Amino acid sequence: MKPTANPIRTTIVWGVIGGLAYIPFCFALSLVVFWPLSFQLSLSALLAGYGVLLSRWAHQSLRSIFFPLLLLFLAAFWFRSTTAFLFTAFGMLSWIRSGICFKNESIVKRLAAEIGLGLGTGLLVSGAVPAVAPVWALGVWLFFLIQALYFVLFDYRAEREIKIDVDPFEKSKMAAETILSNWVF
């Protein structure tokens, strides 16, 4: 059975799920902790789930992404500024995606893509009003929508094309036929 997970489609679906789950999740956390921490913990949870998806697509162990996710969780308690936390979260996501999971392209291309996507998303999302939950829910969806562009840029596929070697006798036969067909009498 072939896996049907498409990173572009799944990232967009994760964004829709994250956007819909953000409001009740952030509301439930705000009953326990104050606003900046509830916001940061809810985003940490969404990014941790996305990190697990990335590691599954790249066939990496969950241990390989544990340290960046731990740092992201600790950053939620450390930073009081939502903008500083957002850019830290984008850095951790970039580390997981381009540093741990998908290392097929050159580091210059991966770094340029991560900076472009991270800054583009960060500038759009950081301008949102902090107290309005539906705006942040749309921001979460927009974030994952833009993050799907990473897989458009690099075209990662779960199954690679399998190269089949031709039988040496068949190769010789095809070469002889080519010589005979090009031979003019």
Side-chain angles (χ1 to χ4, degrees):
M1 187 169 143
K2 287 167 72 172
T4 59
N6 180 356
I8 298 169
R9 181 182 60 227
T10 309
T11 300
I12 293 170
V13 169
W14 182 258
V16 170
I17 291 169
L20 291 173
Y22 171 79
I23 295 173
F25 192 57
C26 194
F27 178 73
L29 281 174
S30 68
L31 295 175
V32 179
V33 294
F34 292 117
W35 178 79
L37 186 58
S38 66
F39 164 74
Q40 293 167 352
L41 287 175
S42 62
L43 284 184
S44 295
L46 290 174
L47 289 177
Y50 187 59
V52 170
L53 283 175
L54 288 172
S55 69
R56 294 292 105 195
W57 291 329
H59 304 291
Q60 297 286 331
S61 68
L62 292 178
R63 278 186 291 178
S64 63
I65 65 168
F66 176 74
F67 186 66
L69 292 179
L70 177 67
L71 288 178
L72 181 63
F73 179 72
L74 294 175
F77 291 99
W78 183 261
F79 291 118
R80 297 292 177 229
S81 168
T82 57
T83 305
F85 175 76
L86 281 175
F87 283 104
T88 303
F90 298 154
M92 293 300 157
L93 178 64
S94 298
W95 180 13
I96 291 171
R97 183 173 45 208
S98 288
I100 297 172
C101 293
F102 302 107
K103 298 187 274 189
N104 295 344
E105 297 291 328
S106 72
I107 190 143
V108 174
K109 287 182 182 179
R110 290 181 293 165
L111 186 62
E114 291 294 348
I115 288 173
L117 292 174
L119 284 178
T121 307
L123 293 175
L124 289 172
V125 174
S126 67
V129 178
V132 182
V135 172
W136 275 104
L138 286 174
V140 167
W141 179 70
L142 173 70
F143 169 75
F144 286 109
L145 191 63
I146 292 175
Q147 294 305 309
L149 288 175
Y150 183 85
F151 297 105
V152 172
L153 292 173
F154 291 120
D155 191 33
Y156 285 105
R157 293 193 180 119
E159 63 271 341
R160 298 287 179 193
E161 292 182 20
I162 300 171
K163 184 178 178 183
I164 300 173
D165 292 331
V166 179
D167 184 42
F169 294 108
E170 188 68 29
K171 195 183 282 186
S172 303
K173 177 186 166 206
M174 290 187 315
E177 288 175 353
T178 304
I179 291 171
L180 290 175
S181 68
N182 291 335
W183 198 356
V184 178
F185 289 98

